[in-house]
Amino acid sequence: MSKYRPKTLDDIVGQDTVKSVCKIVVAAAKKKGEPLGHMMFGGPSGFGKTTFCEALANEMGSNLIQTNAVSISTISRVKSYIEKVREGDILFIDEFHALSQKVCEFLYTIMEDFR
């Protein structure tokens, strides 16, 4: 995490609609005492996807586990990241669109089962 990157949702400049939705989701999760649900951020480079993930992790007091799709080209490789994730942690996969179909299907199964 960069020391210059915003630490909380309130620190983020711009993206007001996304920020507003994220604040609602964080407040609801905290009120229920549950981790955040699955989320996907899309947009061109520089739109703040990584910044939002880092801010969400900070807001929830969670660990952020970060990787890039290029480094998880096989199911066994993605499993090594999944095994690091504990309840409440956030797994951020940058460049998600670059994942193979096989890896995507594996991840979708995990997400559908809320595991």
Side-chain angles (χ1 to χ4, degrees):
M1 187 166 17
S2 167
K3 65 180 181 178
Y4 302 109
R5 207 180 283 271
K7 304 284 187 249
T8 67
L9 293 169
D10 284 332
D11 294 340
I12 296 173
V13 176
Q15 297 290 355
D16 293 334
T17 302
V18 176
K19 192 167 39 172
S20 176
V21 170
C22 285
K23 284 181 178 183
I24 291 167
V25 171
V26 166
K30 285 182 173 181
K31 185 173 183 176
K32 292 179 181 180
E34 296 178 356
L36 292 175
H38 302 298
M39 302 171 87
M40 182 177 281
F41 292 97
S45 180
F47 266 41
K49 298 176 292 291
T50 302
T51 300
F52 269 100
C53 289
E54 290 177 352
L56 286 168
N58 288 333
E59 296 275 351
M60 293 299 296
S62 301
N63 293 317
L64 178 66
I65 300 165
Q66 221 172 327
T67 188
N68 190 298
V70 175
S71 68
I72 53 174
S73 57
T74 65
I75 289 177
S76 63
R77 188 72 178 117
V78 78
K79 280 182 180 178
S80 70
Y81 281 95
I82 297 296
E83 290 168 354
K84 294 177 187 177
V85 176
R86 300 291 170 245
E87 187 171 350
D89 288 350
I90 294 174
L91 174 62
F92 173 55
I93 303 173
D94 202 10
E95 305 298 330
F96 192 86
H97 64 276
L99 290 174
S100 71
Q101 183 174 350
K102 189 187 300 187
V103 171
C104 282
E105 288 172 3
F106 176 76
L107 285 170
Y108 292 146
T109 301
I110 290 170
M111 291 170 64
E112 287 173 350
D113 294 343
F114 292 98
R115 296 186 285 150

